């Protein structure tokens, strides 16, 4: 593994497979009565989240604790960022206290690359602006592989706000690399120009995209990032693009329904689908812990604590 995990774009196919295979082993630790191993004993991990998060922050913290790392959460709302301190100065000050890893979520694309240049600590991207969310794509691939036993040759339909989604970008990079047939759909105003060059097929017909799909992944309408009218109303969006039970029936009989969360029920997904028999949304959340344990372990060098060996 390289020093940092900044994006799927930097990972080789072998590295992706290594992370997914390591996550299989890490999941077993979470099924034990005592869910803790000494692997990262003596290592300090700082979770630095400049944007709200439920799943990513919590699962990183659980993963760190299961590996016995010393973890520290920096709440931006009570930090000196509110007094005007820059990201670079915040990072330099944290770095001065010699953490081993920094998990960063930030609203600016490229924020993790900046920290990578400034810090000796290993940097893990927990979502940077509209750029990448690599651990989300890894846990999504892990979940698909668990259900379908492969990624290659599967038809994966991704529907939603294609323009603002870092989850989409990381998933396209990963799934196309592993040989999936990726189709994307969303309002024409939310289709990034040139997205086909990433190796996906694009259609504004959601019915065409979900036809015979092995997995359907819904993307959140990111209302906090919408500046301007991308579609007439949320009700209209649901009518044209929302994942309903009727639309799910067009997919394969064993389709899985995915969503990275947080969900807007009744906007990108109907509640009957989110809570229905094909939904693996909470499995994605559970798998996030194992995948993040794998990333932490491999970035630390993939070695057991010497004293514990
Ligand atoms: N999927 C995801 O990144 O969720 P959070 O924003 O809750 O971390």
């Amino acid at each position: 593994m390289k020093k940092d995990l900044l994006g799927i774009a930097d990972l080789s196919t072998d590295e992706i497979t290594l992370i997914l295979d390591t996550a299989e082993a890490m999941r077993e630790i979470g099924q034990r009565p005592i869910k803790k191993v000494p692997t990262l004993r003596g290592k300090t991990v700082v979770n630095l989240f400049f944007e709200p998060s439920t799943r990513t922050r919590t699962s990183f913290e659980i993963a760190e604790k299961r590996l016995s790392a010393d973890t520290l959460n920096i709440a931006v709302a009570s930090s000196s960022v509110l007094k005007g301190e820059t990201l670079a100065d915040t990072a330099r000050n944290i770095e001065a206290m010699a953490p081993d890893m920094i998990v960063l979520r930030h609203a600016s694309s490229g924020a993790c690359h900046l920290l990578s240049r400034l810090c000796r600590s290993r940097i893990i991207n927990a979502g940077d602006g509209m750029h990448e969310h690599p651990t989300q794509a890894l846990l999504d691939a892990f979940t698909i592989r668990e259900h379908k036993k492969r990624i290659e040759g599967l038809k994966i339909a991704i529907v939603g706000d294609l323009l603002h989604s870092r989850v989409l970008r990381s998933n396209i990079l990963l799934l196309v690399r592993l040989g999936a047939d990726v189709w994307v759909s969303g309002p024409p105003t939310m289709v990034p120009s040139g997205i086909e060059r990433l190796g996906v097929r694009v259609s504004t017909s959601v019915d065409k995209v979900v036809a015979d799909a092995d997995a359907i992944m819904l993307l959140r309408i990111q209302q906090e990032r919408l500046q301007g009218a991308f579609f007439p109303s949320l009700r209209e969006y649901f009518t044209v693009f929302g994942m309903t039970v009727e639309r799910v029936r067009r997919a394969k009989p064993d389709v899985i329904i995915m969503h990275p969360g947080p969900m807007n029920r009744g906007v990108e997904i109907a509640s009957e689908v989110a809570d229905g028999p094909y939904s693996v949304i909470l499995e994605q959340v559970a798998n996030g812990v194992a995948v993040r344990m794998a990333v932490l372990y491999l970035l630390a060098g993939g070695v057991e604590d010497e004293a514990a060996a």
Side-chain angles (χ1 to χ4, degrees):
M1 293 285 290
K2 299 171 183 71
K3 170 182 165 281
D4 305 311
L5 176 59
L6 302 180
I8 299 295
D10 303 326
L11 294 178
S12 67
T13 306
D14 283 349
E15 285 171 322
I16 292 169
T17 306
L18 176 64
I19 294 169
L20 299 182
D21 291 346
T22 306
E24 299 276 2
M26 293 296 168
R27 183 168 47 182
E28 186 274 325
I29 295 168
Q31 292 161 350
R32 296 179 190 173
I34 298 175
K35 304 176 181 62
K36 208 172 180 75
V37 292
T39 309
L40 293 189
R41 196 164 61 184
K43 304 280 186 202
T44 305
V45 185
V46 174
N47 301 313
L48 182 57
F49 278 63
F50 285 81
E51 277 190 335
S53 168
T54 298
R55 284 144 288 267
T56 311
R57 200 198 60 71
T58 309
S59 63
F60 262 113
E61 191 175 350
I62 291 174
E64 292 151 12
K65 289 186 188 316
R66 287 197 179 157
L67 294 173
S68 301
D70 296 316
T71 68
L72 183 71
N73 295 307
I74 298 190
V76 169
S78 58
S79 75
S80 291
V81 169
L82 290 195
K83 299 178 197 163
E85 188 167 62
T86 64
L87 171 62
D89 280 334
T90 302
R92 284 192 191 99
N93 281 271
I94 293 169
E95 175 81 353
M97 295 178 252
D100 296 284
M101 300 190 208
I102 299 174
V103 179
L104 176 68
R105 170 168 289 191
H106 200 278
S108 298
S109 304
C112 298
H113 288 77
L114 174 69
L115 256 63
S116 173
R117 287 195 296 276
L118 290 176
C119 300
R120 277 202 322 257
S121 317
R122 295 174 182 277
I123 307 300
I124 301 176
N125 185 352
D128 65 327
M130 297 190 287
H131 176 230
E132 278 225 42
H133 192 350
T135 57
Q136 179 67 46
L138 287 161
L139 74 88
D140 291 340
F142 184 85
T143 306
I144 296 170
R145 202 176 75 157
E146 185 179 29
H147 279 268
K148 306 293 176 187
K149 310 301 172 209
R150 65 191 168 99
I151 303 275
E152 190 171 7
L154 295 180
K155 179 176 180 182
I156 315 279
I158 308 180
V159 182
D161 178 351
L162 309 178
L163 190 61
H164 301 98
S165 180
R166 54 197 177 205
V167 173
L168 172 73
R169 187 176 164 76
S170 289
N171 261 298
I172 289 178
L173 291 170
L174 194 160
L175 294 170
V176 169
R177 181 91 63 75
L178 295 189
D181 181 19
V182 181
W183 291 65
V184 298
S185 183
T189 48
M190 289 183 146
V191 178
S193 65
I195 192 170
E196 304 87 351
R197 288 201 292 272
L198 294 175
V200 299
R201 293 193 243 195
V202 188
S203 174
T204 50
S205 163
V206 69
D207 292 334
K208 184 174 169 187
V209 165
V210 301
D212 295 322
D214 295 283
I216 301 173
M217 189 182 297
L218 289 325
L219 298 174
R220 185 170 68 91
I221 296 300
Q222 302 191 31
Q223 296 181 61
E224 75 278 14
R225 293 193 215 271
L226 299 188
Q227 287 171 348
F230 288 86
F231 45 80
S233 68
L234 294 177
R235 183 188 292 261
E236 170 109 354
Y237 180 88
F238 181 67
T239 304
V240 180
F241 293 100
M243 197 49 54
T244 57
V245 172
E246 292 70 37
R247 289 202 165 112
V248 170
R249 288 204 190 102
R250 293 176 178 272
K252 291 230 175 94
D254 62 346
V255 68
I256 56 172
I257 304 293
M258 310 177 72
H259 194 305
M263 283 187 282
N264 294 309
R265 290 171 183 261
V267 178
E268 65 263 2
I269 188 167
S271 273
E272 300 78 32
V273 175
D275 304 327
Y278 305 109
S279 173
V280 297
I281 293 168
L282 292 179
E283 285 178 44
Q284 289 173 263
V285 177
N287 291 337
V289 176
V291 166
R292 287 168 179 132
M293 285 172 77
V295 167
L296 291 160
Y297 168 74
L298 291 168
L299 282 182
V303 290
E304 298 293 331
D305 180 289
E306 279 176 22

